[in-house]
Amino acid sequence: MVRPAPQPVPGVVRPTPSNARLAKKPTLETVWEWLSAIPDPEIPVITLTDLGIIRDVQWQGDTLEVTVTPTYSGCPATSIINLDIETALRGHGIEKLTLKRQLSPAWTTDWLTDAGRAKLEEYGIAPPQPAGGPQHCPHCKSTLVEKISQFGSTPCKAQWRCQSCREPFDYFKCI
């Protein structure tokens, strides 16, 4: 039995054969575009660039260096994030790659892009607010919300509930 070729999956870059080489170095703008397609492994509705954890991309000779600041130093998704970055870039033909971990300055929720905040809310996760709690329910927009637990589905989120629509929702903690 012959199986059909797998169909492309949006956001997933398949590796190129190991003997495929880039004709020339891609521009940094192109590399940033590639990186902007990599979803966060814990909240796949936003990308690593939406999250603001990719701090810098530069060529050091013929080696591409990508600087990553994890959301916090003990983030359990850090190794998966690095693997996803490496897989995506190698899939685009990058052979020489260095991933640099930068802990200072520490990541804050201020680094989330406006697009990332909007994507979180559209997905049903209240984006971080300086006041320390959601402004409104991401489902019905009611301001009558209450905290259920400081701990949510991931360490960076808390569990809240809307008193109007009664739906629970995650709140992305302000860090």
Side-chain angles (χ1 to χ4, degrees):
M1 173 179 191
V2 176
R3 293 180 186 223
Q7 296 299 308
V9 178
V12 175
V13 178
R14 301 214 186 271
T16 56
S18 59
N19 61 356
R21 294 186 169 229
L22 293 172
K24 64 179 188 170
K25 276 195 305 196
T27 65
L28 294 179
E29 182 179 322
T30 297
V31 174
W32 276 104
E33 286 176 23
W34 296 339
L35 293 170
S36 71
I38 303 171
D40 176 73
E42 292 180 330
I43 311 170
V45 69
I46 61 173
T47 68
L48 300 181
T49 56
D50 288 332
L51 198 52
I53 63 172
I54 299 180
R55 302 306 303 149
D56 191 33
V57 177
Q58 61 182 318
W59 287 103
Q60 296 290 339
D62 62 348
T63 301
L64 183 65
E65 181 180 87
V66 178
T67 303
V68 181
T69 297
T71 54
Y72 67 98
S73 61
C75 177
T78 301
S79 60
I80 298 300
I81 288 168
N82 289 340
L83 180 62
D84 289 348
I85 292 169
E86 183 175 353
T87 300
L89 295 177
R90 294 205 189 284
H92 284 289
I94 302 293
E95 292 180 353
K96 294 185 178 182
L97 174 65
T98 300
L99 295 178
K100 181 178 162 186
R101 185 175 183 192
Q102 180 177 323
L103 299 178
S104 179
W107 179 87
T108 76
T109 49
D110 292 340
W111 294 3
L112 273 164
T113 65
D114 289 341
R117 290 170 188 276
K119 289 176 187 177
L120 285 173
E121 187 160 351
E122 186 177 312
Y123 189 65
I125 299 172
Q129 300 296 324
Q135 289 181 332
H136 57 260
C137 169
H139 305 294
C140 74
K141 308 303 184 226
S142 169
T143 58
L144 298 173
V145 295
E146 64 183 343
K147 186 190 301 185
I148 297 172
S149 173
Q150 184 60 27
F151 307 100
S153 60
T154 63
C156 60
K157 292 184 289 207
Q159 188 70 43
W160 286 65
R161 176 178 44 229
C162 178
Q163 294 174 341
S164 294
C165 72
R166 308 299 295 164
E167 286 295 318
F169 62 91
D170 277 337
Y171 166 67
F172 199 110
K173 296 176 190 174
C174 192
I175 299 173

